[in-house]
Amino acid sequence: MATLRLLSWNVNGIRAGLKKGFLEWMAEADPDVLCIQETKAHPDQLPASLKEIDGYHAYFASAERKGYSGVAIYTKREPSSVTVGFGVDEFDSEGRTLIADYGDFLLYAVYFPNGKSSDVRLDYKMRFYDAFLEHIDGQTASGRNVVICGDVNTAHKAIDLARPKENEKVSGFLEIEREWIDKLLSHGHLDTFRMFDEGPGNYTYWDMVSRARDRNVGWRIDYFYASEGLADRLKGAFILPEVMGSDHCPIGIDIEVSG
């Protein structure tokens, strides 16, 4: 068995990240797999330094709309296949999902929609949630284990944000959004971070305008979920709040794999 370190990070623009030391950080962090959300770029807009990082295979899913959404996977170990999207056009057109098959598990790198801007986008977010879970249920019913990582855009419980009372009616902490996470977990998946740390004050996103990070007034909205069948292989889960360069910070897990 080998232990892989998987990291996930909403970089809030990968080209902006390049100017803020993204490649230097990645070289130092040295993950086996890095999943990126909000690339905000098509591959043809990226310099070679971001498309061809030494030692990594790179895969991208882009939104039809320029400068919007987008996910990427950088991986040392080449997956047997990589799929863009999960088969629903209205969601796949926003470049929100990449699926990498590592044999022991399917890795889903996902940028879930944000529902704050309007009721229309909240409806879109909830439909994405439901369609995604239906897809995942199909995979687990066929016997596959899954690892799901990314920006879920919802804090699950009161412990997962600094000011739960003030945000009860705000998308990102609405009851219907939180109930979907309950449902996901009830379908046989684990919130990996909470397997290792049940404490408060652990956040992955901070509002930049109000300098909330300085006071740790944050939200935990980025997650690694894993099938219950992988529980014994999970050796750690963590948040890296000291890493700057975005309004989110990286998160990660250590997981044992065959070979």
Side-chain angles (χ1 to χ4, degrees):
M1 300 288 277
T3 301
L4 298 185
R5 172 154 288 191
L6 278 57
L7 298 184
S8 175
W9 192 10
N10 180 326
V11 295
N12 193 20
I14 195 167
R15 287 172 293 180
L18 184 62
K19 299 170 186 173
K20 298 174 185 175
F22 170 76
L23 290 175
E24 292 79 1
W25 166 79
M26 190 171 169
E28 185 179 343
D30 193 31
D32 295 291
V33 182
L34 172 63
C35 299
I36 295 287
Q37 302 90 51
E38 270 204 282
T39 58
K40 296 184 178 178
H42 285 228
D44 60 12
Q45 296 176 296
L46 298 178
S49 61
L50 285 172
K51 287 192 286 189
E52 300 164 15
I53 298 177
D54 191 38
Y56 289 91
H57 305 276
Y59 305 92
F60 301 90
S62 304
E64 290 177 0
R65 183 173 141 200
K66 287 284 178 82
Y68 178 72
S69 189
V71 293
I73 296 176
Y74 295 99
T75 175
K76 292 180 179 178
R77 178 179 291 211
E78 188 173 10
S80 61
S81 68
V82 176
T83 305
V84 176
F86 59 92
V88 182
D89 287 347
E90 71 163 323
F91 304 129
D92 294 346
S93 65
E94 291 198 357
R96 294 185 174 275
T97 311
L98 280 170
I99 310 163
D101 191 339
Y102 287 96
D104 292 340
F105 57 86
L106 294 169
L107 174 63
Y108 283 78
V110 190
Y111 176 40
F112 292 83
N114 189 317
K116 280 184 178 173
S117 63
S118 67
D119 289 343
V120 170
R121 289 305 289 180
L122 176 60
D123 177 67
Y124 181 89
K125 177 181 182 178
M126 297 311 301
R127 287 187 291 107
F128 184 104
Y129 272 179
D130 291 340
F132 180 78
L133 184 54
E134 183 179 346
H135 169 83
I136 292 294
D137 284 346
Q139 298 286 11
T140 55
S142 71
R144 297 304 305 265
N145 285 317
V146 302
V147 173
I148 303 160
C149 71
D151 178 0
V152 180
N153 263 312
T154 296
H156 184 203
K157 296 184 177 178
I159 195 174
D160 294 315
L161 70 166
R163 294 177 175 168
K165 271 287 177 204
E166 295 92 323
N167 288 288
E168 283 178 347
K169 292 183 168 57
V170 174
S171 178
F173 198 57
L174 296 174
E175 192 171 346
I176 54 168
E177 296 167 318
R178 298 164 61 199
E179 284 174 349
W180 180 83
I181 297 181
D182 290 335
K183 190 175 179 182
L184 172 70
L185 299 180
S186 75
H187 285 212
H189 305 287
L190 304 163
D191 178 342
T192 60
F193 181 76
R194 289 302 180 202
M195 292 174 62
F196 297 92
D197 192 327
E198 296 181 352
N202 290 296
Y203 309 127
T204 66
Y205 163 81
W206 302 263
D207 177 65
M208 293 178 80
V209 175
S210 60
R211 300 182 64 84
R213 197 163 184 166
D214 297 347
R215 294 164 284 122
N216 198 30
V217 179
W219 300 60
R220 189 173 76 98
I221 59 175
D222 302 85
Y223 301 85
F224 267 97
Y225 299 115
S227 298
E228 290 172 352
L230 296 170
D232 292 344
R233 295 189 175 205
L234 290 161
K235 301 305 172 186
F238 48 89
I239 296 170
L240 301 172
E242 71 281 0
V243 178
M244 309 302 279
S246 171
D247 49 357
H248 295 248
C249 73
I251 61 171
I253 59 170
D254 294 322
I255 187 169
E256 284 187 341
V257 297
S258 304

